[in-house]
Amino acid sequence: MLSHAVIEKLEAIVGQGRVKTDIDSLATWGCDWTKHYTPAASAIVFPASTEEVQAIVLLANDEKIALVPSGGRTGLSAGAVAAHGEVVISFDRMNKVLDFWPADRMVQVQAGVVTAQLQQFAQEQGLYYPVDFASAGSSQIGGNIATNAGGIKVIRYGMTRAWVLGLTVVTGKGEILNLNKGMIKNATGYDLRHLFIGSEGTLGFITAAQIKLERPPRNLRTLLLGTSDFNSIMHVLSAFQGKLDLTAFEFFSELALQCVTASGDLARPFPDVAPFYVLLEFEALSSDTEEHAMQLFEACMEAGWVVNGVMSQNETQARNLWRLRENISETIAKFTPYKNDISVLITHVPAFIADIDAIVRTSYPDFDIVWYGHIGDGNLHLNILKPPALDKDAFFAKCQEVNRSVFETVQKYDGSISAEHGVGMTKKPYLHYTRSLDEIAYLKALKHLFDPNHIINPGKIFDQD
Amino acid sequence: MLSHAVIEKLEAIVGQGRVKTDIDSLATWGCDWTKHYTPAASAIVFPASTEEVQAIVLLANDEKIALVPSGGRTGLSAGAVAAHGEVVISFDRMNKVLDFWPADRMVQVQAGVVTAQLQQFAQEQGLYYPVDFASAGSSQIGGNIATNAGGIKVIRYGMTRAWVLGLTVVTGKGEILNLNKGMIKNATGYDLRHLFIGSEGTLGFITAAQIKLERPPRNLRTLLLGTSDFNSIMHVLSAFQGKLDLTAFEFFSELALQCVTASGDLARPFPDVAPFYVLLEFEALSSDTEEHAMQLFEACMEAGWVVNGVMSQNETQARNLWRLRENISETIAKFTPYKNDISVLITHVPAFIADIDAIVRTSYPDFDIVWYGHIGDGNLHLNILKPPALDKDAFFAKCQEVNRSVFETVQKYDGSISAEHGVGMTKKPYLHYTRSLDEIAYLKALKHLFDPNHIINPGKIFDQD
C-alpha cells in the first residue's frame, strides 16, 4: 500500500484527480490482455508530459516504489501487468501529435497515441504508417515500440523498429534522453534508440517518438490459395516472392478456416477443402502485374501445390478474404486456446511444424492445434485448443508441459520463443531457450545500468539477481 | 613493443607466418584511409575463425594488450588506425561465405568478406545486396557493420543495419555471442545485435554476419537535373518522392561538376550552367512510369525549379550520369579537401547550408566549398578546398577552427557530426555536439560492461575515463 504522503507527492506532480486508487481503476489499468496474473496495482498515475514522467521516476527512486508502464494494455505476455503492488504510469493523457515534417515524411507523437490514430494521421497527409495488427485500434505507439510490434505487413515493411527515427525516454535513473533526433544517418556511437526498442519498459519509459511514414501502397490485390500440404506453402512463397512485391504472406490451417466460417457470416472462399491456406497480398503497380500473378497461380496449380484459389477484384472482396485470416484469433477464443508465438528461419518452418505436430499427436492425442501466422517472416502462432471435457486449470497445466517440448524444438532450430509478443512475465521462464546465458547476463547488467534501483517494470523479461 | 613470448603465444593461436611484425606490414595494416595519424602497430595478426579471435581476445585480456580490428581499411575517421602500439587483428583471412538460405533470402558471411564480393554472391543467386558506396570494392562487411555504412541507396534501402539479421561477435571479455540468429521477428529482450552495429569495434569484434538479401531493382532510370537554386532541390525531391519509388536522390554543386568534367573524359550533361544538380534514380516498374517521370520533369521546369535535365535511355548513359556524381570525391582529392560528413533533417537542409555558406564566406573568404551528398536522407558532404597559396598544415589548422562553427551549426539544427563515417579518432573531440553528456556517460558505461579491461579498440569514439 502507498502512504498518503506518497500519493500527495504524485498528485503534486500530475495534478488533482490524476492519481486513481479506486478498485475499478486499479483493475482496469493494472493489467493487459493476459489473464494469468491477478492485477494488484497500488495506484494509477496519469502524467501529461515527459517532465512529469521524469518527476515520477525520480520520486519512485527516492521512495523505492516500483513502476509499471501502461499503454493500450493489449499485450499478450503480461509485460504491462502490475501484479505486485506497483504504481502504474498510464500514457492515456499523452496522446498528442507533437510535430510533423513533410519533407522528411516524419511525425513526432507522444507515447500514448493509439496506433490507429497514427495510421489515420498519416493517411490525412497522403502518407502511410505500415505497422498494422489486430489490436491497432487500442494499442499505443509507446507500447508498440516497447515490444517492437510486428503484425501482418512485416514481410514488406519490417517491424516497428524500422520506423522509429527518434525516441524520447526517461531512464530508470530519471534522465531524459533524446535519442537519434529523427535522423536517417547518424554514426556517432552506440545507437541507444535500438536498445530501448523492444525493452518492454525495463530500461526506461518511452514518452515520445519520431516516426517515419511511407507512401501508401497502390492497387493492392489479395490472393487466397488452398495448398495441398504444408511444404507446398513454401513452394508458393518462393514462386511469388521472386516475381511480385509482396506486402503480406499469411497462412492458416483448415481447422482455423472451419472455426472462422462456423462462427460468422463469412463463407468458404471456394468449395475445395485444403489442409492449409495462403493469403498473399501484393501491389499491382502496372497493368501486367495482375496477369502475371494469375500466371503464377496457374503454375502453382499445375505443379500440384495449389488446389484452388481466388483473387480479389475489388476492395470488398479483398476485405472479406483478409477477414478469413484476421478473425481466427477471435473465433478460436471460445476454445480457450493456449497460445504460443514463435519464429524460426523460413527454411526450417516445415520441419519445425512437423516436429511439433508429432509431439502433440503422440503425447496429447486429444489436443487440437490451430496453426496460423505470418509465414513470410517465419512467425507461427501455435494455438492448442482445450478439449471440451478437460478442466481449464488441468488444460493449462498440461500446456505448460507441452511448452517444454515446444521450446526445446524452438531451440533445436535456433528459433525464438517470442516472435512479436515480448517476454513480459509469461515467457520469462523460457528466455534461455532463445538467449544464451552470457546474453542474459548482459541483459541484466544493462538493466542495472539504466535502472540501478530496479524501479522500472521490475520482474519483466527476467528476474534481476 | 610486444615481447617475443607474446608473439609466440599469438602464433600458437593463428599459426606460423600469420603474425607479421615487418615494417611494411605494420604500415599497411596499421591504418585506414585517414592520414592524420601515424600508424604504430606492434603486430598484425591474421586469425581464420571466431575461435581464434576469441583466443586472441582472451590472451589480450591476460596480457593487457590493446587490439585494433582491421577490415578493408577504407574508414575515414581513423576507427581502424593503430596509432599507439596496438596489435591489429586483420580479418583478411576470414573471407568466406559460410551458408545460404534461399527461402529466407539470407546469407551468412565471415567478417572479412569484401562488400563487392557479397554483392556478387547475391547477384549469382538472382538477388541483390543493396548497400553500395564508392569503396565497396575494398571495404569488408565486418567494417560496414561496425560503422553502420550508408552510401548511395539509403533513401530506398536504409543503412547496413537494416540488412543484418544475425551477428557473431567476440566481446571484449572474450565471450562468443550469436545475436538474433537470422530471425526477422524475435522479441526476447534487448537486441544486442543493434548495439554492436555501429560500435566501431569498441564493444567486441564482429566475426560473422547473417545478411538479408533483396530482389534486384528492375528497369532503373537515371535523371540528372540542373536546379535554379538550392531550395529548388527540395521542391524537386518533394515532387518526385510522392510519385515515384526513388532508389537514389543525390545532389552536387556546379563547382563539383566543374572538377569532374575538368579532370576526365566526362562531358557536361547539358550546356546550361546551374548552381546545383540533382541525380535521381527510380524503378520504371511499368511502361507509364517513365512517361510519368517526364511529366514531373516538365512540371519542375515550368515551376522554375529546374533549368534543364536529361534522362538515361540505356545502361551506358545511366552509368555516365552516375559517374558525374561518383567521381567527385576522387577528382577533388588534388585540392586536399577538408571533409565533413554531416546530416540534419531534410527539412533543415536549406537553412543549414545557407548558414554554413555564410560562415565560410565571412570568416574564410578564400576558401571554396564543394557540396555534394545524399540529400534524400539529409546527408551532406562538406568539402573545403585548400587555396593553392595556403600551406597544408596551416590549411588544416584553419579547418579545425571552421569545424567549431560547423559543428555548432549542426547542433543548432539537432544534426549529426558524422552521418555515415563513424567517430573513430577524428570526430572524437566533437561527439558532444550530437550526443548529450548523459548519453556519452552511458556509452562509456556500455563499453566498460563489454570490455572491462579496455582491450578492444580503445580511444575510439570516446576516451574512457
Side-chain angles (χ1 to χ4, degrees):
Chain A
M1 282 299 295
L2 281 187
S3 71
H4 192 66
V6 169
I7 288 176
E8 278 186 349
K9 286 179 187 174
L10 287 169
E11 279 179 339
I13 294 168
V14 294
Q16 284 290 334
R18 285 159 186 166
V19 181
K20 293 183 190 288
T21 53
D22 63 291
I23 289 172
D24 281 357
S25 294
L26 296 181
T28 301
W29 280 277
C31 71
D32 59 17
W33 279 2
T34 39
K35 303 299 172 207
H36 305 294
Y37 300 89
T38 310
S42 58
I44 319 292
V45 186
F46 296 86
S49 69
T50 300
E51 289 68 27
E52 288 185 9
V53 173
Q54 180 184 40
I56 296 165
V57 170
L58 291 172
L59 176 68
N61 271 280
D62 283 348
E63 305 276 351
K64 302 288 178 289
I65 298 165
L67 304 175
V68 170
S70 172
R73 305 188 305 284
T74 59
L76 294 169
S77 298
V81 173
H84 302 101
E86 299 95 331
V87 170
V88 171
I89 310 299
S90 165
F91 288 88
D92 285 2
R93 289 178 65 222
M94 295 180 65
N95 60 355
K96 298 187 184 49
V97 173
L98 296 175
D99 211 339
F100 176 57
W101 299 266
D104 293 87
R105 294 171 155 187
M106 183 170 73
V107 59
Q108 186 178 38
V109 294
Q110 287 185 306
V113 163
V114 170
T115 314
Q117 185 188 346
L118 174 59
Q119 292 168 340
Q120 178 65 27
F121 177 86
Q123 201 182 324
E124 286 161 10
Q125 317 302 322
L127 292 168
Y128 180 62
Y129 179 61
V131 180
D132 199 15
F133 38 78
S135 58
S138 315
S139 76
Q140 295 177 2
I141 193 70
N144 294 178
I145 296 170
T147 54
N148 190 26
I152 54 181
K153 299 294 175 100
V154 170
I155 192 173
R156 166 69 170 271
Y157 296 104
M159 307 291 283
T160 297
R161 182 185 299 286
W163 302 93
V164 177
L165 290 180
L167 275 187
T168 302
V169 301
V170 176
T171 69
K173 281 203 267 189
E175 302 120 325
I176 296 172
L177 305 182
N178 285 302
L179 301 173
N180 201 55
K181 302 174 204 162
M183 280 175 285
I184 303 281
K185 290 184 169 181
N186 178 20
T188 56
Y190 321 145
D191 197 329
L192 301 181
R193 164 184 51 147
H194 285 291
L195 201 54
F196 280 84
I197 298 170
S199 67
E200 302 187 40
T202 61
L203 300 175
F205 294 152
I206 294 160
T207 60
Q210 286 164 303
I211 304 286
K212 178 99 180 147
L213 303 175
E214 181 52 302
R215 72 151 174 86
R218 303 189 188 105
N219 290 325
L220 288 178
R221 292 292 177 273
T222 307
L223 197 54
L224 191 92
L225 307 172
T227 69
S228 45
D229 54 19
F230 191 85
N231 278 322
S232 295
I233 297 178
M234 311 317 286
H235 293 302
V236 173
L237 174 62
S238 158
F240 277 85
Q241 194 166 30
K243 304 292 167 21
L244 296 178
D245 288 342
L246 297 177
T247 53
F249 192 93
E250 304 278 308
F251 91 112
F252 48 89
S253 62
E254 166 65 18
L255 186 52
L257 181 64
Q258 283 174 19
C259 292
V260 170
T261 52
S263 76
D265 54 340
L266 290 168
R268 295 185 71 90
F270 38 77
D272 312 68
V273 170
F276 293 100
Y277 300 86
V278 162
L279 184 150
L280 64 87
E281 189 190 67
F282 59 94
E283 286 188 284
L285 290 178
S286 74
S287 48
D288 43 348
T289 313
E290 229 160 326
E291 201 178 310
H292 199 45
M294 286 311 289
Q295 287 164 3
L296 287 166
F297 171 20
E298 281 158 27
C300 287
M301 284 194 76
E302 273 167 38
W305 303 326
V306 166
V307 297
N308 205 347
V310 285
M311 179 146 71
S312 67
Q313 297 304 319
N314 56 49
E315 282 265 330
T316 309
Q317 286 179 10
R319 212 172 312 123
N320 283 336
L321 292 177
W322 265 106
R323 284 173 66 206
L324 293 173
R325 162 66 186 86
E326 287 184 325
N327 288 9
I328 298 170
S329 185
E330 193 184 320
T331 54
I332 65 172
K334 63 168 171 275
F335 300 101
T336 324
Y338 189 86
K339 288 165 174 281
N340 268 313
D341 167 47
I342 48 202
S343 84
V344 293
L345 295 193
I346 296 166
T347 303
H348 299 323
V349 165
F352 175 81
I353 287 200
D355 280 10
I356 300 286
D357 270 340
I359 289 166
V360 176
R361 218 179 315 115
T362 310
S363 306
Y364 309 91
D366 53 336
F367 284 10
D368 278 327
I369 296 183
V370 173
W371 284 107
Y372 63 99
H374 320 290
I375 202 160
D377 31 70
N379 180 192
L380 307 165
H381 295 304
L382 161 63
N383 293 263
I384 304 175
L385 304 191
K386 189 179 78 57
L390 197 59
D391 166 73
K392 191 175 154 185
D393 288 339
F395 172 65
F396 275 111
K398 276 205 169 187
C399 287
Q400 301 283 344
E401 285 170 36
V402 184
N403 265 353
R404 179 188 286 247
S405 306
V406 169
F407 292 142
E408 279 172 0
T409 312
V410 167
Q411 191 173 38
K412 171 180 161 190
Y413 291 102
D414 268 344
S416 175
I417 59 139
S418 184
E420 56 178 2
H421 292 173
V423 177
M425 289 195 281
T426 64
K427 293 300 186 296
K428 186 165 67 169
Y430 311 107
L431 185 59
H432 64 280
Y433 286 102
T434 292
R435 308 295 294 263
S436 70
L437 297 182
D438 280 338
E439 282 186 81
I440 293 171
Y442 278 117
L443 301 194
K444 292 179 181 178
L446 286 165
K447 161 88 175 161
H448 191 72
L449 199 61
F450 286 91
D451 179 26
N453 290 322
H454 308 164
I455 293 299
I456 301 290
N457 218 10
K460 308 295 162 58
I461 307 180
F462 47 76
D463 287 312
Q464 203 77 19
D465 299 324
Chain B
M1 282 296 298
L2 282 188
S3 72
H4 193 66
V6 168
I7 289 176
E8 277 185 350
K9 286 179 185 172
L10 288 168
E11 278 177 340
I13 295 167
V14 294
Q16 285 289 335
R18 283 159 187 166
V19 180
K20 292 183 190 286
T21 53
D22 62 291
I23 289 172
D24 281 357
S25 295
L26 296 181
T28 302
W29 280 278
C31 70
D32 59 17
W33 279 3
T34 39
K35 303 300 172 206
H36 305 294
Y37 302 88
T38 310
S42 58
I44 320 293
V45 186
F46 297 86
S49 69
T50 299
E51 289 68 27
E52 288 184 9
V53 173
Q54 180 184 40
I56 296 165
V57 170
L58 292 172
L59 176 67
N61 272 280
D62 283 347
E63 305 276 351
K64 303 286 178 291
I65 297 165
L67 303 175
V68 170
S70 172
R73 305 189 304 285
T74 59
L76 294 168
S77 298
V81 174
H84 303 100
E86 299 96 332
V87 170
V88 171
I89 310 299
S90 166
F91 287 87
D92 285 2
R93 290 178 65 221
M94 294 180 66
N95 60 355
K96 301 194 180 44
V97 173
L98 297 175
D99 212 338
F100 176 57
W101 299 266
D104 292 270
R105 294 171 156 187
M106 182 170 73
V107 59
Q108 186 179 37
V109 294
Q110 287 185 305
V113 163
V114 169
T115 313
Q117 184 188 345
L118 174 59
Q119 291 168 340
Q120 177 66 28
F121 177 86
Q123 200 182 324
E124 286 161 11
Q125 316 304 322
L127 292 168
Y128 180 61
Y129 179 62
V131 180
D132 198 15
F133 38 77
S135 58
S138 315
S139 75
Q140 294 177 1
I141 193 70
N144 295 177
I145 296 169
T147 55
N148 189 25
I152 54 180
K153 300 293 175 100
V154 171
I155 192 174
R156 167 68 170 272
Y157 297 103
M159 308 290 282
T160 297
R161 182 185 300 285
W163 302 93
V164 178
L165 290 180
L167 275 187
T168 303
V169 302
V170 176
T171 69
K173 282 203 266 188
E175 301 121 324
I176 296 172
L177 305 181
N178 285 302
L179 301 173
N180 201 56
K181 302 174 204 161
M183 280 174 285
I184 303 281
K185 289 185 170 181
N186 178 18
T188 55
Y190 321 145
D191 196 331
L192 302 181
R193 163 184 52 148
H194 285 291
L195 201 54
F196 279 85
I197 298 170
S199 68
E200 302 186 40
T202 62
L203 300 176
F205 294 153
I206 294 160
T207 60
Q210 285 163 303
I211 305 286
K212 178 100 180 149
L213 303 175
E214 181 53 302
R215 73 153 173 85
R218 305 190 186 105
N219 291 325
L220 288 178
R221 293 289 177 275
T222 306
L223 197 53
L224 191 93
L225 307 172
T227 68
S228 45
D229 55 19
F230 190 84
N231 278 322
S232 296
I233 297 178
M234 310 316 285
H235 293 302
V236 173
L237 174 61
S238 158
F240 277 85
Q241 194 166 30
K243 304 291 167 21
L244 297 178
D245 288 342
L246 297 177
T247 54
F249 193 92
E250 303 279 309
F251 91 111
F252 47 90
S253 62
E254 166 65 19
L255 186 52
L257 180 63
Q258 283 173 18
C259 293
V260 170
T261 52
S263 76
D265 54 340
L266 290 168
R268 296 184 72 90
F270 38 76
D272 312 68
V273 169
F276 293 99
Y277 300 86
V278 163
L279 183 150
L280 64 88
E281 189 190 69
F282 59 94
E283 285 188 285
L285 289 179
S286 75
S287 46
D288 43 347
T289 314
E290 229 161 327
E291 199 179 313
H292 199 44
M294 287 311 290
Q295 287 163 4
L296 287 166
F297 171 21
E298 281 159 27
C300 286
M301 283 194 76
E302 272 167 39
W305 303 327
V306 165
V307 297
N308 204 347
V310 287
M311 178 146 71
S312 68
Q313 296 304 319
N314 55 49
E315 282 265 328
T316 309
Q317 286 179 12
R319 212 173 311 123
N320 283 335
L321 292 177
W322 265 107
R323 285 173 65 207
L324 292 173
R325 162 65 187 84
E326 286 184 326
N327 288 10
I328 297 170
S329 185
E330 193 185 320
T331 55
I332 65 172
K334 61 169 173 274
F335 300 101
T336 324
Y338 189 86
K339 287 165 174 284
N340 268 314
D341 167 47
I342 48 202
S343 84
V344 293
L345 295 193
I346 297 167
T347 302
H348 298 322
V349 165
F352 175 80
I353 287 200
D355 279 11
I356 299 287
D357 270 341
I359 289 165
V360 176
R361 218 180 313 113
T362 311
S363 306
Y364 310 90
D366 54 336
F367 284 9
D368 278 328
I369 296 184
V370 173
W371 285 106
Y372 64 97
H374 320 291
I375 203 160
D377 29 71
N379 179 194
L380 307 166
H381 295 304
L382 161 64
N383 293 263
I384 304 175
L385 305 191
K386 188 180 79 58
L390 197 59
D391 166 73
K392 191 177 153 182
D393 288 340
F395 172 65
F396 275 111
K398 276 204 168 187
C399 287
Q400 301 283 343
E401 286 170 34
V402 184
N403 265 354
R404 178 189 286 247
S405 307
V406 169
F407 292 141
E408 279 172 359
T409 313
V410 168
Q411 191 173 38
K412 172 179 161 189
Y413 291 102
D414 269 345
S416 176
I417 59 138
S418 185
E420 56 178 1
H421 292 174
V423 177
M425 290 195 281
T426 65
K427 294 299 187 297
K428 185 165 68 171
Y430 311 108
L431 185 59
H432 63 280
Y433 285 102
T434 292
R435 307 296 293 262
S436 71
L437 297 182
D438 280 338
E439 281 186 81
I440 293 171
Y442 278 117
L443 301 194
K444 291 179 181 179
L446 286 166
K447 160 87 174 162
H448 191 71
L449 200 59
F450 286 90
D451 179 26
N453 291 321
H454 308 162
I455 294 299
I456 301 290
N457 218 10
K460 308 294 161 60
I461 307 180
F462 46 77
D463 288 312
Q464 203 76 19
D465 300 324

